[in-house]
């Protein structure tokens, strides 16, 4: 009888175990974004399931990425700020306020992987409405496509229980895909893309292939940046295990690179392979971020789990081979091998995974095509969004994509690196077009260029918090996520400590009438301020020649153009707090020939050492802010080991017509820049050598006229600037040739 009763109880238990688990909010992905989403939803009284495929929560942050890239720390708010402050408290409580460990934590920006996991688990445990399912991996999504109404809904997430070797179904009212892979998003039939857009698709100067044959530059492709493991390595011999020999050991890729460097004495110790050997993290640990391999990410985003595991194993074996090679290859000097063997994997990290990180660094996979696609211009020229829910501020950072042959040698190709100013990420970028109950804070809606900046973990955390908060509002208001009141969401996020509007710029519209004037016809230009402006506009300045010279001021001005061509018009406004905004337009006059030629600094031949960045701002606002510039940014020569490295910029236009042109150089002045930047201009009558003062302001715009010259049609002209014998730094934002009319017979000196 007792045996039969136990059998019945077992059957009941098994049936219940196979039943779907229902929660109001289901978060797939125990990444930092997923954790913050779960916490935000739970704080609003919602029951939350947090489903994670690994045995640990924390994604990359507890999985080895412990040197946090965050750009402007002042923009990191809410739960992300709380996480970094808890890191500081952990090291303060454990080691003391004057300890070297706390100092090594750098105000919470660097830490040990296991400490990050402790903090994440602590934050989750404080929310009793969150239940975590670990080792549960995406299998399928169920959707309800009700043709009787607009929109679709996710009804269930089906996962493989990796521990029990069975499946489990989660039903919910709102789902959040916070995974790096975006599998739930894809399973819900949300549109997405993989790879790089071409330049023309969203008007992005940095898009597409960045080098190689000119026919290839700017073209889109299926490729994306490489993956790796962020391996924690320690110099504390007492807390290290030697690097293990991988199953598929292959030292071949390192013999002609690392091996040659070591044998020639250019690397005398293992620490030489770290660029920050003097910046140890707590616990004498380092975040090794040098396991990239071009093309190693291809096939991962849409691959099966078996394919993904095979790709991850190949990346792991490659990195392990390099580490094992340093300590064991008999062809390396014995002294180097002995020194290398004082390093290793920390004994106290990833103890259930052979001391190796559990999380592959999926830098970029699927990217949703959502309600709004964040793009280059949103990071550079149009940085404020009225529905902004988080701030991005880290530069456009793309690791190697592929190797291309250039000038007879193989070179790593990737999207150009550019520092960016603070910019707002709109709520629309985490919202699918029509799936009513799904939010996507990690595989968010952005182009490849924009995602190269957005993809930082502090930003994921802030987007996760916004997603969890939006889920709570959608449930309370019984509305689809697309109809969540952005104002209400922003107010709630601000109450939670979020830093919003860090990318604010004065808002206005530039109009002109008639739209296509004739030569000599009066054209009415208007600068129309937006009702969303935070402060009044105090200065409105117009440039009608494209040369940076102020031609008129005021909200409404009149101007007539004499030449039949497309004219570059600039509008520069300043508000009461000194914030500036530059708007540009191309006004077609008459037959509207495209006679002016503008080359952005990213289109020039830049030799030597340059930094892609943005010009300094003078006004000293509480959050960092840039001055005005053209295109995605500017270039400034670079300081290397305390000295300005040699730099040269060469700009060679294709001029459409012979004639007289005004040549302009774009830059904004700075007190660190030179008063004697040497500029060489080749024109039809010879060579002009000029000295340009880049320290003093001659115009509030970013274009500065250098002179008028005769030019032949074609490619014989050029402008070149260099930093030889200058009394400061040099900068370039572009070069412009403005057609003035027929060539003059008088030769210029």
């Amino acid at each position: 009888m007792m045996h039969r009763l136990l059998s019945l109880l077992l059957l009941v238990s098994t049936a219940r175990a196979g039943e779907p688990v229902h929660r109001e909010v289901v978060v797939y992905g125990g990444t930092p974004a997923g954790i913050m989403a779960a916490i935000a939803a739970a704080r609003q009284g919602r029951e939350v399931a947090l489903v994670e495929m690994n045995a640990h929560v924390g994604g990359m942050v507890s999985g080895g990425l412990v040197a946090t890239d965050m750009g402007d720390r002042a923009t990191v708010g809410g739960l992300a700020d709380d996480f970094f402050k808890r890191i500081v408290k952990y090291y303060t409580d454990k080691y003391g306020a004057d300890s070297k460990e706390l100092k090594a934590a750098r105000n919470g920006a660097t830490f040990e992987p296991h400490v990050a996991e402790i903090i994440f688990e602590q934050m989750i445990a404080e929310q009793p409405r969150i239940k975590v399912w670990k080792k549960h991996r995406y299998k399928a999504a169920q959707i309800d496509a009700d043709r009787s109404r607009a929109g679709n809904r996710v009804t269930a997430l089906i996962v493989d229980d990796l521990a029990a070797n069975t499946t489990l179904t989660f039903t919910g009212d709102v789902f959040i895909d916070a995974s790096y892979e975006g599998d739930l998003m894809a399973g819900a039939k949300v549109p997405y893309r993989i790879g790089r857009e071409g330049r023309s698709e969203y008007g992005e100067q940095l898009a597409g292939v960045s080098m190689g044959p000119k026919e290839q530059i700017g073209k889109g492709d299926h490729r994306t940046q490489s993956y790796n493991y962020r391996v924690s390595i320690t110099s504390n011999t007492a807390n290290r295990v030697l690097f293990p020999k991988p199953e598929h050991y292959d030292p071949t890729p390192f013999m002609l690179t690392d091996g040659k460097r070591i044998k020639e004495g250019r690397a005398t110790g293992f620490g030489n392979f770290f660029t920050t050997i003097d910046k140890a993290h707590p616990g004498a640990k380092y975040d090794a971020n040098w396991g990239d391999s071009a093309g190693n990410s291809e096939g991962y985003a849409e691959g099966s789990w078996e394919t993904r595991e095979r790709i991850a194993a190949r990346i792991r074996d490659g990195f392990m081979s390099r580490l094992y090679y340093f300590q064991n290859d008999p062809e390396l000097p014995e002294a180097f091998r002995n020194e290398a063997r004082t390093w290793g994997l920390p004994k106290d990290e990833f103890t259930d995974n052979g001391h190796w990180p559990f999380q592959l660094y999926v830098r970029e996979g699927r990217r949703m095509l959502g309600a709004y696609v964040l793009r280059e211009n949103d990071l550079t020229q149009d940085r404020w969004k009225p529905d902004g829910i988080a701030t991005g501020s880290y530069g456009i950072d793309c690791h190697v994509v592929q190797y291309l042959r250039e000038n007879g040698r193989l070179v790593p190709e990737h999207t150009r690196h550019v520092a960016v100013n603070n910019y707002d990420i709109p709520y629309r970028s985490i919202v699918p077009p029509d799936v009513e109950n799904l939010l996507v804070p990690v595989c968010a809606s952005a182009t490849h260029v924009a995602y190269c900046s957005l993809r930082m973990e502090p930003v994921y955390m802030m987007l996760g918090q916004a997603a969890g908060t939006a889920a709570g509002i959608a449930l309370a208001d019984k509305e689809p996520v697309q109809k969540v009141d952005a104002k209400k969401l922003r107010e709630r996020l601000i109450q939670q400590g979020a830093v919003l509007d860090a990318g604010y710029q004065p808002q206005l519209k530039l109009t002109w009438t008639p739209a296509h004037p004739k030569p000599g016809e009066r054209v009415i230009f208007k600068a129309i301020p937006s009702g969303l402006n935070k402060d009044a506009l105090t200065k409105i300045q117009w440039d009608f020649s494209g040369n940076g010279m102020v031609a008129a001021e005021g909200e409404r001005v009149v101007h007539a153009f004499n030449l039949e061509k497309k004219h570059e018009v600039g509008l520069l406004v300043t508000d009461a707090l000194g914030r500036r905004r530059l708007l540009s337009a191309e006004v077609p006059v008459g037959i509207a020939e495209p006679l002016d030629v503008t080359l952005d600094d990213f289109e020039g031949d830049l030799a030597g050492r340059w930094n892609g960045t943005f010009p300094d701002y003078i006004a000293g606002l509480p959050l960092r802010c840039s001055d005005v510039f053209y295109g995605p940014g500017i270039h400034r020569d670079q300081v290397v080991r305390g000295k300005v490295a040699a730099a040269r910029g060469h700009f060679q236009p294709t001029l459409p017509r012979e004639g007289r042109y005004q040549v302009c150089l774009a830059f904004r002045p700075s007190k660190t820049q030179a008063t004697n930047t040497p500029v060489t201009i080749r024109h039809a009558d010879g060579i002009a050598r000029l000295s340009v003062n880049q320290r003093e302001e001659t115009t509030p715009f970013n274009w500065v006229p250098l002179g008028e010259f005769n030019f032949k049609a074609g490619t014989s002209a050029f402008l070149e600037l260099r930093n030889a014998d200058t009394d400061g730094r040099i900068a370039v934002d572009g070069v412009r040739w403005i057609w003035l009319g027929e060539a003059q017979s008088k030769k210029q000196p």
Side-chain angles (χ1 to χ4, degrees), residues 473-484:
I473 294 173
L475 289 170
D477 294 348
K478 296 182 173 58
E479 292 281 8
V481 296
Q482 290 83 3
K483 292 187 178 181
V484 165

Side-chain angles (χ1 to χ4, degrees), residues 267-481:
T268 58
F270 181 82
N272 292 135
F273 290 89
F274 286 95
T275 57
T276 54
I277 187 64
D278 58 329
K279 297 179 181 178
H281 304 163
K285 295 170 186 173
Y286 297 82
D287 176 352
N289 188 23
W290 29 270
D292 293 353
S293 176
N296 68 10
S297 59
E298 291 188 28
Y300 184 91
E302 294 184 300
S304 65
W305 284 115
E306 292 75 17
T307 297
R308 290 172 176 173
E309 288 168 357
R310 187 166 61 251
I311 292 170
R314 185 173 68 236
I315 296 171
R316 182 171 58 248
D317 283 348
F319 203 162
M320 275 189 180
S321 290
R322 189 181 188 191
L323 296 174
Y324 186 82
Y325 170 74
F326 285 142
Q327 291 186 337
N328 297 280
D329 195 282
E331 293 188 5
L332 297 180
E334 184 178 1
F336 179 90
R337 284 183 282 129
N338 288 339
E339 193 278 340
R341 290 173 73 85
T342 65
W343 294 71
L345 304 176
K347 289 181 181 178
D348 57 349
E349 300 291 356
F350 314 116
T351 56
D352 60 352
N353 199 44
H355 310 287
W356 192 263
F358 60 85
Q359 178 67 57
L360 177 67
Y361 193 3
V362 180
R363 289 190 172 101
E364 180 182 357
R366 294 181 173 108
R367 302 188 309 278
M368 177 173 67
L369 290 171
Y372 183 80
V373 178
L374 196 74
R375 61 206 69 181
E376 178 186 294
N377 195 57
D378 298 313
L379 278 60
T380 57
Q381 299 293 344
D382 190 17
R383 300 186 298 274
W384 183 71
K385 299 292 180 291
D387 62 336
I389 53 172
T391 301
S393 61
Y394 197 75
I396 296 168
D397 181 20
C398 179
H399 286 245
V400 62
V401 174
Q402 62 182 332
Y403 278 93
L404 294 174
R405 190 165 295 281
E406 189 172 84
N407 299 324
R409 63 190 183 94
L410 288 177
V411 293
E413 187 269 330
H414 55 78
T415 302
R416 299 274 290 275
H417 292 241
V418 188
V420 301
N421 198 355
N422 301 329
Y423 62 90
D424 295 321
I425 302 169
Y427 174 62
R428 289 164 291 161
S429 284
I430 68 169
V431 176
D434 64 354
V435 179
E436 297 178 348
N437 64 337
L438 176 66
L439 293 160
V440 186
V442 175
C443 295
S445 181
T447 65
H448 163 77
V449 171
Y451 200 84
C452 285
S453 169
L454 177 149
R455 65 182 183 82
M456 305 304 155
E457 293 289 343
V459 176
Y460 286 159
M461 293 186 202
M462 293 185 286
L463 292 177
Q465 180 175 359
T469 305
I473 294 173
L475 289 170
D477 294 348
K478 296 182 173 58
E479 292 281 8
V481 296

Side-chain angles (χ1 to χ4, degrees), residues 475-622:
L475 289 170
D477 294 348
K478 296 182 173 58
E479 292 281 8
V481 296
Q482 290 83 3
K483 292 187 178 181
V484 165
D485 185 338
K487 182 179 179 181
K488 182 188 294 187
L489 173 59
R490 282 165 49 83
E491 288 173 351
R492 198 160 295 180
L493 289 172
I494 290 170
Q495 292 170 0
Q496 298 168 7
V499 178
L500 304 184
D501 298 337
Y504 175 76
Q505 304 163 278
Q507 299 295 298
L508 72 159
K509 184 179 180 181
L510 189 167
T511 68
W512 67 90
T513 306
H516 193 146
K518 301 174 183 178
E521 185 176 6
R522 287 164 48 90
V523 184
I524 300 172
F525 287 88
K526 293 182 181 180
I528 305 174
S530 167
L532 298 173
N533 277 336
K534 296 179 180 295
D535 297 281
L537 301 181
T538 57
K539 190 175 291 186
I540 300 174
Q541 298 168 301
W542 298 86
D543 165 22
F544 293 118
S545 300
N547 64 1
M549 303 309 293
V550 177
E553 296 192 12
E555 284 190 18
R556 182 185 183 278
V557 298
V558 178
H559 183 79
F561 300 97
N562 294 321
L563 296 176
E564 291 194 89
K565 65 171 188 173
K566 293 181 178 179
H567 290 261
E568 293 287 340
V569 172
L571 169 62
L572 180 63
V573 300
T574 307
D575 71 10
L577 286 188
R579 292 171 294 212
R580 292 165 23 109
R581 177 87 183 275
L582 175 66
L583 274 69
S584 300
E586 196 172 62
V587 179
V589 176
I591 60 175
E593 285 189 80
L595 298 178
D596 298 349
V597 175
T598 301
L599 293 181
D600 187 66
D601 49 308
F602 288 88
E603 297 176 287
D605 177 14
L606 302 180
R609 304 295 291 270
W610 294 87
N611 269 333
T613 183
F614 51 83
D616 301 329
Y617 190 70
I618 304 167
L621 296 169

